Amino acid sequence: MAEPYYITTAIHYPNGKPHIGHAYETIAADVIARFQTAMGREVRFQTGTDEHGLKMAQKARELDMDVRDLCNEMSQHFRDLFDLLDIGYSNFIRTTDDRHHAASQALWNAMEASGDLYLDRYEGWYSIRDEAYYDESELTNGEGGEKLSPQGTPVEWTVEESWFFKLSKYQEPLLALYRDNPDFIRPASRRNEVMRFVEGGLRDLSVSRTSFDWGVKVPGADDHVMYVWVDALTNYLTGLGYPDATEDMAKFWPADLHLIGKDIVRFHTVYWPAFLMSAKIPVPKQVFGHGFLLNRGQKESKSLGNVTDPVDLAHKFGVDPLRYFLMREIAFGQDGSYSPEAIVTRANAELANSFGNLAQRTLSMIFKNMDGELINPTQIDDADEDLFASVAAGVADLKASFADLAFSEGLDAWMKAVFACNQYVDEMAPWALRKTDPERMQAVLMTLFKVVRDLAIAVRPVVPSSIDKLLDQMGVPADARDYAAIEDTDWFGSLCSSGFRIEKPVGVFPRLEMPEETAA
């Protein structure tokens, strides 16, 4: 039976349309999910929208809308974007779903049963934008003298009755978790930050609000709604059927990976495991906090006028070139920068000119010089064996790097194998062999056909739509496009004997043109 793998993104806050950061995180999660599927694992991939909290209630008032109508409208924008970006999620969760309210209340009851909740009065600094509480020591002064959170968002002094969670009780258990499981928080820089925060001492956490009512009701206290992060984090359990003892819960929990932005690492690596420990539920295996995506080196903001609509990027450059660029250009875990010029340059150099041209030339020469027929060559030269070895090494390196979430490194290894193939084409010159040694020409073209197929399958998690169009033209069955298929030594003989012929090929990675506004 296939080994299960459960990956989640953060659920996205829909008080505005999705931005490039939402696209980046969800594309990365989709690449991971497709990679693990190609490795033969049974993958469950969950994303969705986080629809409660004061921000949503305020936004609805600003727009003179019913808050639920606003949630429905904005959540659909995320679904539409993910469909456009070829995101193959298993479950799209909304925290306004009834099943999620039931799961959140069940988690609350489990924490209460552990004696970890008590009623008191909250006085402190709260950021509406972050939906987060901050200690005085974490704040800075803004230009106008206002208090700002570590994220640069305004905070306000809040006083209200609140339920509290005994977070301080879990300081040592959390530190033990980090020490005993060094990969629980990645990358290492995030782990170090979290450990320093927890070592500094944990205060009990206010986990309910009475100043608004747009949220999950606290069981037995209808005038309180849950702190939005208690509600939001529970989504990872809701999607598996918690609190019921479902087959999915037994199979997929604990989650293999929570993929999130670095700005919400604390919630996922301090609060969430503490809640789970309190509720007697296993903690996730890993939380990875990726970096920010910068527009020409600057963080996007409405005030700077540099906010990019990911839908526009996908339409201008194509979905797969955008997916490839984001995974190739940026060392995953670090901040990275993008621009139209960078997308066009990277996509043209590597997808169009290198791999796309390699595949197109290979299929075209087979179509023109062999009437599209595939044959098993009678003799393999040392140069052919060397190329097979180079491509196998590149594919192995890609797989190892992707397993470690090092996408840029994996694609670099893949590109080195592509370069080896193009060098082989130049050295073998099959167009010349056509006249001098037709049999050798056929062997060269069959060698190229085999390695193009292997390279295509290897990179398929990143650019799935384009690769499937290529593999369709190569006669590779839809159920033979995972990594096990690369190891199948009989596939080529079976394809040859099937009578399949290459038709006139159509390129799958056309060259991109610079958008007019940047070309000038």
Side-chain angles (χ1 to χ4, degrees):
M1 188 171 66
E3 184 182 0
Y5 185 89
Y6 182 31
I7 178 174
T8 71
T9 67
I11 49 174
H12 309 294
Y13 210 73
N15 63 327
K17 288 186 178 181
H19 54 66
I20 188 65
H22 296 123
Y24 178 51
E25 177 173 302
T26 314
I27 287 170
D30 184 69
V31 170
I32 296 166
R34 290 177 184 274
F35 168 76
Q36 292 292 344
T37 300
M39 292 292 287
R41 303 183 71 172
E42 181 183 359
V43 174
R44 187 170 181 86
F45 168 23
Q46 180 166 299
T47 189
T49 45
D50 173 16
E51 301 174 20
H52 290 133
L54 185 54
K55 276 191 297 188
M56 288 301 294
Q58 288 184 340
K59 187 68 174 180
R61 282 199 299 271
E62 288 173 18
L63 298 173
D64 194 25
M65 289 181 68
D66 178 83
V67 65
R68 188 171 292 276
D69 290 341
L70 176 63
C71 291
N72 291 340
E73 176 186 327
M74 300 310 292
S75 183
Q76 189 61 45
H77 286 304
F78 284 83
R79 283 182 179 270
D80 292 344
L81 174 64
F82 297 162
D83 289 346
L84 173 65
L85 296 177
D86 208 2
I87 306 298
Y89 55 81
S90 311
N91 187 40
F92 188 99
I93 192 163
R94 296 183 57 187
T95 56
T96 46
D97 292 342
D98 289 343
R99 61 180 177 139
H100 179 68
H101 283 239
S104 300
Q105 290 173 334
L107 185 73
W108 182 281
N109 288 334
M111 294 190 293
E112 188 172 36
S114 293
D116 289 336
L117 298 174
Y118 63 92
L119 192 62
D120 205 338
R121 180 180 177 86
Y122 176 76
E123 294 188 25
W125 296 103
Y126 188 76
S127 166
I128 295 174
R129 195 178 305 173
D130 297 345
E131 297 282 12
Y133 304 98
Y134 293 105
D135 188 79
E136 179 88 35
S137 62
E138 298 180 87
L139 305 180
T140 58
N141 291 319
E143 292 181 2
E146 74 275 21
K147 298 283 188 180
L148 299 178
S149 77
Q151 310 301 331
T153 59
V155 296
E156 58 184 43
W157 187 257
T158 302
V159 179
E160 62 183 314
E161 182 183 72
S162 176
W163 284 91
F164 280 77
F165 172 73
K166 293 181 181 178
L167 184 63
S168 57
K169 171 181 171 181
Y170 291 92
Q171 178 171 337
E172 289 307 316
L174 287 169
L175 290 173
L177 170 66
Y178 309 149
R179 287 193 298 268
D180 297 344
N181 303 275
D183 283 341
F184 174 69
I185 306 172
R186 291 187 61 206
S189 59
R190 315 270 187 262
R191 176 176 177 268
N192 294 337
E193 291 169 4
V194 170
M195 287 193 71
R196 285 195 298 270
F197 173 75
V198 176
E199 288 167 349
L202 294 177
R203 299 171 59 188
D204 289 352
L205 180 68
S206 172
V207 289
S208 76
R209 303 293 303 273
T210 59
S211 56
F212 63 96
D213 62 1
W214 181 241
V216 178
K217 300 292 186 184
V218 170
D222 283 349
D223 55 334
H224 287 253
V225 294
M226 292 182 195
Y227 173 41
V228 69
W229 276 102
V230 178
D231 153 21
L233 291 162
T234 307
N235 93 87
Y236 304 129
L237 297 174
T238 304
L240 300 178
Y242 176 84
D244 297 333
T246 63
E247 180 181 339
D248 283 341
M249 192 70 189
K251 180 186 294 184
F252 291 108
W253 193 263
D256 291 87
L257 179 64
H258 290 326
L259 184 64
I260 59 169
K262 66 179 182 180
D263 54 331
I264 55 172
V265 167
R266 181 188 302 182
F267 303 101
H268 284 78
T269 59
V270 180
Y271 301 165
W272 181 225
F275 296 160
L276 291 170
M277 290 175 185
S278 175
K280 310 292 191 295
I281 298 172
V283 301
K285 297 175 185 176
Q286 187 173 106
V287 177
F288 192 101
H290 63 77
F292 291 145
L293 196 58
L294 307 175
N295 187 338
R296 301 184 188 275
Q298 286 187 307
K299 191 172 181 179
E300 292 196 343
S301 72
K302 292 180 181 177
S303 60
L304 291 175
N306 65 345
V307 175
T308 303
D309 185 346
V311 172
D312 289 343
L313 285 180
H315 286 315
K316 285 179 181 176
F317 304 116
V319 170
D320 279 350
L322 178 62
R323 287 171 61 107
Y324 182 85
F325 172 83
L326 293 174
M327 295 298 97
R328 175 73 166 109
E329 187 80 5
I330 301 160
F332 202 59
Q334 300 178 19
D335 291 348
S337 189
Y338 76 95
S339 67
E341 298 92 333
I343 296 171
V344 169
T345 299
R346 178 71 75 177
N348 282 346
E350 299 187 357
L351 290 181
N353 295 352
S354 295
F355 181 67
N357 189 43
L358 169 70
Q360 179 74 359
R361 285 203 294 174
T362 298
L363 299 188
S364 291
M365 285 188 285
I366 295 171
F367 173 71
K368 292 178 181 178
N369 300 323
M370 300 176 61
D371 293 325
E373 184 180 1
L374 304 177
I375 61 170
N376 250 326
T378 57
Q379 185 174 349
I380 301 296
D381 284 8
D382 288 345
D384 308 337
E385 295 288 4
D386 289 345
L387 184 63
F388 289 139
S390 295
V391 170
V395 171
D397 287 347
L398 177 145
K399 289 165 62 179
S401 295
F402 275 33
D404 194 41
L405 309 185
F407 306 113
S408 184
E409 292 179 15
L411 291 172
D412 185 63
W414 180 79
M415 276 308 307
K416 288 176 181 175
V418 172
F419 292 150
C421 292
N422 282 316
Q423 183 177 353
Y424 172 88
V425 173
D426 293 340
E427 292 174 352
M428 295 299 106
W431 50 88
L433 291 172
R434 181 174 181 270
K435 297 179 179 178
T436 61
D437 192 345
E439 187 174 348
R440 176 60 188 153
M441 177 205 69
Q442 293 177 348
V444 167
L445 293 181
M446 295 303 99
T447 296
L448 288 169
F449 184 88
K450 294 175 185 177
V451 294
V452 166
R453 174 260 194 182
D454 290 354
L455 289 169
I457 291 175
V459 82
R460 184 169 175 257
V462 183
V463 283
S465 177
S466 300
I467 291 302
D468 280 344
K469 291 175 184 176
L470 173 61
L471 293 174
D472 286 347
Q473 296 180 69
M474 298 179 74
V476 177
D479 61 355
R481 299 179 182 183
D482 59 9
Y483 292 138
I486 296 179
E487 308 302 324
D488 179 9
T489 56
D490 297 327
W491 75 272
F492 187 70
S494 298
L495 187 58
C496 291
S497 61
S498 72
F500 173 79
R501 285 179 178 264
I502 300 293
E503 300 294 335
K504 184 176 181 179
V506 177
V508 297
F509 291 114
R511 282 183 56 82
L512 303 181
E513 299 296 330
M514 198 70 68
E516 291 182 7
E517 63 268 25
T518 57

